Amino acid sequence: MDVYQSFIDNSEDCIIDLQTRLTAAQAMAPENGGTGEYIKVNILKNILTGLNFNTLEEIHVPDERVPCSFRPSLIATVKGKNHAKSLWIISHLDVVPSGDKELWNTDPFEAVVKDGKIYGRGTEDNQQGIVASIVAAKALIHNNITPEIDVKLLFVADEEVGSKYGIEWILDNRSDLFNKDDLILIPDAGDPKGEYIEIGEKSILWLEFNIQGKQAHGSRPDLGINAARVSSKLAVELDTLYEIFSHKNEQFDVPYSTFEPTKRGGHTVSNINTIPGSEILCYDCRVLPIYKLDDVLAQINKAVEKVRQETKAEITYTIKQRVDAPLETSPQASVVLQLSDAVEKKLGFKPKTYGIGGGTVAAYFRQKGYAAALWTILDGTMHKSNEYSSISNTTKDASVFAELMSKAT
């Protein structure tokens, strides 16, 4: 048995304690009604200060929308024998809102342990990555293991709503932190057995359509322009995007591009017998890398113009998030090969490579020319009610991370 394994196998109390403290922080972005990651970072700093990391560095990204006026990210370093390159394990601090609390069996922001699972918002996304990387690093420190290269745990802000105040800002303003030989692992995508390493992502396009019609009495549609009807007509027209961009790539877990209506609202009508004069319609598009987002937007513009001509409503839209899919990480990249070896050593099988539809911080690294890989063992409860993190999954993650930390070159 590896010298660090006994420590990890006996880490359940530590895992529960970390998850309990982090879940209570409710680290949501302002867009989601939160105050950012300040409380959560302070919790982490207090935890990590007592674990003998060589250095802790906090990065503040200005954001006047939150009480502290910045969005914090945190780097914890275990120095290796060689400082010329680093192994980065990057997890995000922020979480999404709980959603309908009536669908939860527990308080979303109070960690509850039951049958080997820790329930609470953020426990799997992305606190499992935070906790597993801390436990792995703690196992090395406890056993006086000096890694071959520097090991850096990076806990970043603002991943859930676009990374403008997180990794995007860090890569643009603190490029001195990274070099192209670094190994970059992001535990934010996975499967229940850990059989896959993610090496590519789809492009992301979030749109908010603002539809302005004309309010009228419900019995006199001839005197109004029904924004709800226009919104529905636009949604039907945008469904043609599935036909236009129909290419399939079985490398991705959803093998085709998706164009989904999501949030609706924006009108002030509260009674049944009034035709609404305005509505907001939001779309979440995830597009295979074979297609350019500019081409997708050109088709969206055609759909908008067609509905505008047919209904006489005013339709505008804003782009809430756009991430153009970069080149995939090569399956032969050093981080993929060394991670694959660590998985095989600890779990007994060689993982396969694949792509995902969800967006992660890996896209920003790949855009800058860095090889980045994602791997973790997840049951897939992220963003759902009754989200949970499996203690067993966390322990397995920590074992693979510790193996990679101790052997990476």
Side-chain angles (χ1 to χ4, degrees):
M1 179 184 292
D2 294 298
V3 66
Y4 57 77
Q5 192 61 52
S6 177
F7 182 93
I8 294 174
D9 289 341
N10 291 285
S11 62
E12 180 172 332
D13 289 345
C14 176
I15 291 170
I16 293 171
D17 177 63
L18 290 171
Q19 284 278 22
T20 299
R21 295 162 74 178
L22 295 173
T23 301
Q26 301 192 29
M28 290 185 291
E31 293 91 333
N32 288 328
T35 58
E37 302 83 3
Y38 179 77
I39 293 174
K40 200 166 190 174
V41 157
N42 281 335
I43 291 170
L44 272 177
K45 281 196 298 184
N46 290 335
I47 292 168
L48 298 176
T49 297
L51 297 184
N52 296 319
F53 280 86
N54 294 110
T55 61
L56 292 177
E57 180 181 357
E58 195 168 345
I59 298 172
H60 293 173
V61 179
D63 186 354
E64 295 300 326
R65 301 172 302 163
V66 296
C68 66
S69 299
F70 62 84
R71 306 290 290 281
S73 295
L74 184 66
I75 304 171
T77 300
V78 179
K79 289 185 178 179
K81 300 172 186 175
N82 171 16
H83 307 310
K85 65 188 295 188
S86 300
L87 165 65
W88 293 86
I89 300 183
I90 303 172
S91 310
H92 65 83
L93 296 160
D94 57 323
V95 303
V96 296
S98 61
D100 187 350
K101 291 187 178 181
E102 295 299 318
L103 298 177
W104 286 77
N105 297 327
T106 63
D107 184 331
F109 293 105
E110 181 179 337
V112 175
V113 183
K114 182 179 180 181
D115 300 329
K117 300 171 182 176
I118 307 172
Y119 290 85
R121 175 56 83 223
T123 52
E124 189 174 59
D125 183 21
N126 192 216
Q127 287 164 203
Q128 183 172 314
I130 293 173
V131 171
S133 62
I134 290 174
V135 169
K138 189 176 179 181
L140 266 63
I141 294 169
H142 178 80
N143 287 284
N144 297 311
I145 298 172
T146 302
E148 295 298 317
I149 61 177
D150 289 346
V151 172
K152 293 180 179 289
L153 310 186
L154 171 55
F155 311 107
V156 294
D158 197 39
E159 188 272 350
E160 292 290 0
V161 292
S163 291
K164 178 180 178 181
Y165 300 94
I167 201 63
E168 183 177 8
W169 188 96
I170 293 170
L171 285 168
D172 285 342
N173 295 274
R174 290 297 311 276
S175 59
D176 59 293
L177 293 170
F178 309 99
N179 73 61
K180 294 298 172 65
D181 291 327
D182 285 350
L183 308 179
I184 298 168
L185 168 61
I186 299 155
D188 197 20
D191 61 276
K193 294 183 179 180
E195 295 179 308
Y196 293 92
I197 295 173
E198 186 264 85
I199 60 171
E201 299 175 13
K202 295 177 182 178
S203 296
I204 298 176
L205 185 63
W206 289 359
L207 302 173
E208 181 179 277
F209 294 91
N210 189 311
I211 299 162
Q212 295 296 323
K214 185 178 180 181
Q215 186 171 308
H217 193 282
S219 66
R220 294 301 305 271
D222 57 311
L223 300 179
I225 299 175
N226 193 323
R229 184 181 295 278
V230 176
S231 176
S232 297
K233 192 175 185 67
L234 178 61
V236 171
E237 189 64 35
L238 290 174
D239 253 6
T240 60
L241 295 172
Y242 276 102
E243 301 170 10
I244 297 168
F245 302 100
S246 60
H247 178 79
K248 290 188 176 181
N249 183 345
E250 298 298 334
Q251 178 82 0
F252 286 80
D253 53 355
V254 177
Y256 48 85
S257 301
T258 58
F259 309 93
E260 289 298 305
T262 55
K263 185 172 68 173
R264 303 181 86 153
H267 58 73
T268 57
V269 171
S270 59
N271 54 305
I272 293 176
N273 60 332
T274 296
I275 289 171
S278 64
E279 183 156 307
I280 289 174
L281 171 66
C282 296
Y283 258 74
D284 184 339
C285 309
R286 311 289 173 128
V287 183
L288 289 173
I290 192 174
Y291 297 120
K292 295 180 180 180
L293 288 185
D294 285 342
D295 293 336
V296 174
L297 286 168
Q299 292 298 325
I300 289 171
N301 290 337
K302 289 181 180 179
V304 167
E305 185 58 30
K306 179 180 178 182
V307 174
R308 182 188 291 123
Q309 292 291 335
E310 292 176 354
T311 65
K312 308 307 178 185
E314 288 298 317
I315 307 172
T316 59
Y317 67 83
T318 56
I319 297 174
K320 293 297 185 178
Q321 184 180 181
R322 174 176 178 167
V323 181
D324 293 76
L327 293 174
E328 299 174 3
T329 295
S330 168
Q332 299 303 311
S334 182
V335 63
V336 177
L337 296 178
Q338 294 194 54
L339 173 58
S340 180
D341 288 344
V343 172
E344 183 177 29
K345 170 73 181 296
K346 304 310 295 186
L347 302 183
F349 56 80
K350 277 281 190 185
K352 304 172 185 177
T353 56
Y354 80 130
I356 65 169
T360 73
V361 300
Y364 297 94
F365 279 98
R366 291 172 182 146
Q367 286 173 347
K368 299 286 188 180
Y370 297 93
L374 287 87
W375 179 89
T376 185
I377 303 174
L378 297 177
D379 286 351
T381 64
M382 54 182 63
H383 292 219
K384 298 179 181 179
S385 55
N386 300 309
E387 177 183 356
Y388 69 80
S389 171
S390 161
I391 295 173
S392 173
N393 289 350
T394 306
T395 302
K396 291 176 183 176
D397 283 356
S399 296
V400 171
F401 296 165
E403 176 67 16
L404 184 59
M405 289 175 180
S406 64
K407 303 288 176 58
T409 58

